[in-house]
Amino acid sequence: MAELTINQLIKIILGIFVVVVVVMGLYFFFKNYVLDFFNNMGGNGTAELILSLLK
């Protein structure tokens, strides 16, 4: 099995950090915009179903 060098460890840590930042950004985007879009739809059973699945 290959040894992990400092350079490889730094790349792995940066990769994990980038993935975490992207996931957090997508979460905040969908939380503020998509859920508000479905909340403003009145009288639609499909929107209520989708909203319940997202929560």
Side-chain angles (χ1 to χ4, degrees):
M1 191 169 224
E3 292 182 25
L4 287 176
T5 62
I6 299 295
N7 194 16
Q8 290 173 331
L9 286 174
I10 291 172
K11 287 179 184 178
I12 291 171
I13 292 170
L14 285 176
I16 292 171
F17 178 72
V18 168
V19 169
V20 168
V21 168
V22 168
V23 168
M24 287 176 60
L26 288 173
Y27 169 75
F28 285 120
F29 172 76
F30 285 115
K31 178 184 171 194
N32 292 331
Y33 296 106
V34 175
L35 292 179
D36 286 341
F37 174 75
F38 286 115
N39 282 333
N40 291 332
M41 297 177 109
N44 193 347
T46 306
E48 291 176 7
L49 175 65
I50 293 172
L51 186 60
S52 67
L53 291 174
L54 289 175
K55 287 186 179 179

